[in-house]
Amino acid sequence: MDNDIERILYSRDDIAKAAKRLGKQLTNDFQDKRPIIISVLKGAILFTVDVIKEMDVYAEIDFIDVASYHGGTQSSGEIDLVRDIGSDIAGRNILIIEDIIDTGRTLKYLIDLLKSRNAAEIKVCTLLDKEEGRLIDVKADYVGFSVPNEFVVGYGLDYQELYRNLPYVGVLKPSVYTN
Ligand code: XMP
Ligand code: MG
């Protein structure tokens, strides 16, 4: 897989440091909140595992799966709810963990969904924030890295469902797309 990567943006070590930094902040901010942490499948799985280990708070964990990409590198604009959470979130403090915020459509969809179910508070932690891609005005409260407007893979992020298990985030060689 390493041969398909043009350059590494965030190394294993960079990511570990970011997870530690965010975990400290989240420990502080969620101390008495007993949050339900909602990890967004599939991209956020690696980041979720690393961040929650750095959070010394009582928290429940749940998962939601939404899809906006259909295999390519461009968002389709439509969001499908693939798998819903199992928790009752009414009156609860929620922390969404995302892999990347690009246009903001996915996050807006999630926030609207959780608000409609009467969540008390919704905060967002994302590994990557692609601010230049934003089409909808949504913001993350906790950000690992601000990422340039390029398609990135690794550490949970995929191209056609591959590369999620790379331990770092990088940019694919153009030849990979044209194969
Ligand atoms: P939106 O546009 O809804 O996008 O903010 C969020 C979702 O789109 C996917 N996404 C990417 N996936 N590399 C990826 O592997 C990227 O550079 C990228 N940009 C957006 C991702 O699934 C995210 O949850
Ligand atoms: Mg994807």
Side-chain angles (χ1 to χ4, degrees):
M1 284 191 295
D2 290 330
N3 284 336
D4 295 349
I5 302 299
E6 186 167 79
R7 66 181 201 284
I8 295 177
L9 290 180
Y10 310 109
S11 69
R12 197 193 270 258
D13 192 46
D14 295 335
I15 296 168
K17 282 185 184 135
K20 272 216 162 72
R21 168 175 60 80
L22 292 169
K24 262 193 197 139
Q25 266 179 279
L26 292 163
T27 297
N28 210 39
D29 297 356
F30 284 85
Q31 203 45 245
D32 305 310
K33 296 198 169 176
R34 288 210 175 228
I36 300 179
I37 296 170
I38 300 181
S39 174
V40 185
L41 297 170
K42 302 171 192 164
I45 49 166
L46 276 74
F47 182 50
T48 299
V49 166
D50 286 343
V51 154
I52 64 176
K53 283 187 286 187
E54 305 292 340
M55 284 179 72
D56 185 13
V57 300
Y58 292 101
E60 297 173 33
I61 319 283
D62 208 332
F63 296 90
I64 197 163
D65 190 358
V66 289
S68 67
Y69 273 61
H70 301 282
T73 62
Q74 292 293 310
S75 175
S76 68
E78 258 173 69
I79 317 281
D80 303 321
L81 180 57
V82 179
R83 178 205 182 273
D84 203 346
I85 49 170
S87 326
D88 179 3
I89 61 159
R92 301 293 302 269
N93 298 307
I94 307 297
L95 176 66
I96 297 174
I97 302 190
E98 258 286 24
D99 54 352
I100 186 165
I101 304 170
D102 186 357
T103 63
R105 282 194 193 106
T106 305
L107 186 57
K108 172 86 165 72
Y109 172 88
L110 288 171
I111 290 173
D112 287 349
L113 182 72
L114 302 180
K115 273 189 181 159
S116 75
R117 295 176 183 176
N118 302 315
E121 178 188 73
I122 303 167
K123 297 282 183 187
V124 180
C125 175
T126 187
L127 173 68
L128 305 174
D129 192 357
K130 205 187 263 188
E131 285 151 295
E132 270 178 68
R134 205 71 99 250
L135 297 173
I136 291 173
D137 186 25
V138 285
K139 277 196 184 69
D141 303 282
Y142 306 89
V143 175
F145 306 96
S146 292
V147 73
N149 200 3
E150 285 180 278
F151 191 77
V152 296
V153 298
Y155 195 69
L157 294 131
D158 73 301
Y159 172 63
Q160 296 187 342
E161 293 300 326
L162 299 179
Y163 305 104
R164 293 193 199 276
N165 53 326
L166 278 176
Y168 53 80
V169 173
V171 179
L172 279 177
K173 288 177 182 164
S175 57
V176 177
Y177 300 113
T178 46
N179 276 343

